[in-house]
Amino acid sequence: QSALTQPASVSGSPGQSITISCTGTSSDVGSYNLVSWYQQHPGKAPKLMIYEGSKRPSGVSNRFSGSKSGNTASLTISGLQAEDEADYYCCSYAGSSPVVFGGGTKLTVL
Amino acid sequence: EVQLVESGGVVVQPGGSLRLSCAASGFTFDDYAMHWVRQAPGKGLEWVSLISWDGGSTYYADSVKGRFTISRDNSKNSLYLQMNSLRAEDTALYYCAKDRVRSAYSYTFDYWGQGTLVTVSS
């Protein structure tokens, strides 16, 4: 099972919005509503930010939102803040595999 | 408060074996599937293995199938990963992670430990 495709890096200024894409196939992202997104600060464990494509766990800021179109899922962060600077990973159920992660995206807040 | 504490990571020679442990607290352990996820130094996340809440079903990534065995002891609220025939490419920080949904597989990880480092080197 190949990893999901994410951009290596994205950047934005405080207050702006950014979107991170996560492209899979009809065997994973495109077939199941089981995409999740994780935030990882350096030296820390990952933190769940979005599950089932667009749902936020309790305690996660509503500045974070998720969506999906076809084989591509997206994470949007609005009102960028310095604390959002981190690595972000998408993840999807992939049937027989059964879990596949994206390669990760480094978000820089300028 | 949910806590997951991994242990057992060490430096091991290629071809060697190792068992990782994860002690869980703060939730009803035997209600939830559990996962191992690893991260090689400076690299991304890689899912390794999954075990059902009752230990009756297990799943593995192709990269570890036949070499790693996941297990759990619900009486001890503990998760394990037996790692055999270790290779240099198994070098990573190994996280245990809790599945989000009770008595089902959501393939979503809502709590993570801090990880235990496994280094495979001669």
Side-chain angles (χ1 to χ4, degrees):
Chain A
Q1 183 70 30
S2 299
L4 306 176
T5 300
Q6 298 181 233
S9 63
V10 298
S11 62
S13 299
Q16 288 186 331
S17 295
I18 64 94
T19 296
I20 300 172
S21 62
C22 170
T23 301
T25 69
S26 58
S27 297
D28 40 62
V29 174
S31 289
Y32 307 99
N33 194 29
L34 288 172
V35 174
S36 52
W37 290 89
Y38 301 87
Q39 176 191 65
Q40 187 180 35
H41 287 109
K44 300 295 187 182
K47 175 186 176 183
L48 177 64
M49 305 302 285
I50 296 288
Y51 67 96
E52 293 179 4
S54 61
K55 298 178 181 178
R56 275 188 312 275
S58 174
V60 172
S61 170
N62 60 9
R63 298 186 298 105
F64 291 83
S65 62
S67 63
K68 190 183 88 167
S69 177
N71 296 337
T72 298
S74 298
L75 173 71
T76 297
I77 309 174
S78 59
L80 267 180
Q81 299 179 1
E83 68 209 48
D84 300 331
E85 185 162 296
D87 293 328
Y88 291 85
Y89 295 90
C90 62
C91 178
S92 176
Y93 175 63
S96 60
S97 289
V99 178
V100 62
F101 279 98
T105 298
K106 181 177 179 60
L107 169 61
T108 300
V109 180
L110 301 171
Chain B
E1 178 194 6
V2 172
Q3 285 198 319
L4 299 169
V5 180
E6 303 93 337
S7 61
V10 292
V11 178
V12 61
Q13 291 190 342
S17 297
L18 195 58
R19 189 174 89 150
L20 305 183
S21 300
C22 172
S25 61
F27 65 102
T28 305
F29 183 68
D30 57 8
D31 275 349
Y32 292 89
M34 296 293 294
H35 303 258
W36 287 98
V37 177
R38 68 184 181 183
Q39 186 169 34
K43 302 297 185 182
L45 301 171
E46 179 188 14
W47 176 81
V48 173
S49 185
L50 155 66
I51 188 167
S52 61
W53 45 96
D54 62 357
S57 297
T58 58
Y59 304 88
Y60 299 92
D62 288 344
S63 58
V64 306
K65 202 171 293 183
R67 300 187 299 122
F68 289 11
T69 301
I70 190 172
S71 62
R72 64 192 296 161
D73 185 338
N74 286 345
S75 69
K76 296 182 178 179
N77 285 358
S78 292
L79 174 72
Y80 306 102
L81 185 67
Q82 178 66 42
M83 310 165 67
N84 298 332
S85 302
L86 282 162
R87 307 166 179 168
E89 54 264 36
D90 296 318
T91 294
L93 188 62
Y94 284 74
Y95 293 103
C96 71
K98 171 184 166 292
D99 199 283
R100 190 183 64 81
V101 175
R102 178 173 173 268
S103 301
Y105 303 129
S106 73
Y107 308 99
T108 302
F109 322 109
D110 60 350
Y111 289 93
W112 300 63
Q114 287 303 304
T116 187
L117 182 61
V118 174
T119 303
V120 183
S121 173
S122 55

